[in-house]
Amino acid sequence: MSFYESPVFVELLLDSIYILLAMAVMLTGWSAVRSVRMRKGQHEGGGVPVRGIAWGVFALLVLTLGATALLADVSPMTINGHLYDNTTWLRVSDMLINTSAVLMLVAIICLIVGYTGVVRKYMK
């Protein structure tokens, strides 16, 4: 029996994952509430529509999570001889992986558009 197959360490690993997940959810909630409170009276910061960008990012995240969850591949997988066929976790993992890829692509596109100044030329 290897180190990673020991029941004691597997339980410890699973418990630490659950604790980290709970902490991440709490920190995300606290951060969202704090961000909304700080931006309550703030409409623009240096000509940048701060609230609009914040709501746009939130809407993009929710829409991307929903779309990738609906389009997720839930076909069973065999990895190292073990069959993984729980459709819920297959859907969640596919959703998170694809959402992160889509949001990274959107961030790169926004960076390129912002760097080139294309939007500023047409906004004047």
Side-chain angles (χ1 to χ4, degrees):
M1 181 181 292
S2 73
F3 174 78
Y4 296 105
E5 294 174 356
S6 174
V8 173
F9 294 114
V10 170
E11 290 297 322
L12 179 65
L13 180 64
L14 288 174
D15 291 341
S16 63
I17 288 172
Y18 292 140
I19 290 170
L20 287 173
L21 179 65
M23 288 173 50
V25 168
M26 288 188 295
L27 184 63
T28 302
W30 174 77
S31 176
V33 168
R34 184 174 178 269
S35 177
V36 168
R37 284 186 181 171
M38 288 183 70
R39 293 187 190 353
K40 202 166 198 165
Q42 186 179 12
H43 296 289
E44 286 195 14
V48 178
V50 177
R51 290 185 74 184
I53 291 173
W55 281 109
V57 169
F58 177 73
L60 177 66
L61 175 66
V62 170
L63 290 174
T64 307
L65 283 170
T68 55
L70 290 174
L71 300 172
D73 180 22
V74 293
S75 57
M77 300 170 56
T78 303
I79 301 174
N80 293 334
H82 296 286
L83 179 67
Y84 295 95
D85 60 352
N86 188 331
T87 57
T88 302
W89 289 115
L90 288 170
R91 184 174 303 277
V92 167
S93 63
D94 197 48
M95 174 188 70
L96 293 174
I97 291 168
N98 289 331
T99 297
S100 64
V102 168
L103 292 180
M104 281 191 272
L105 183 65
V106 169
I108 290 169
I109 291 170
C110 289
L111 179 73
I112 292 170
V113 168
Y115 184 72
T116 58
V118 172
V119 174
R120 281 180 259 149
K121 290 178 187 174
Y122 294 109
M123 295 295 283
K124 287 184 179 184

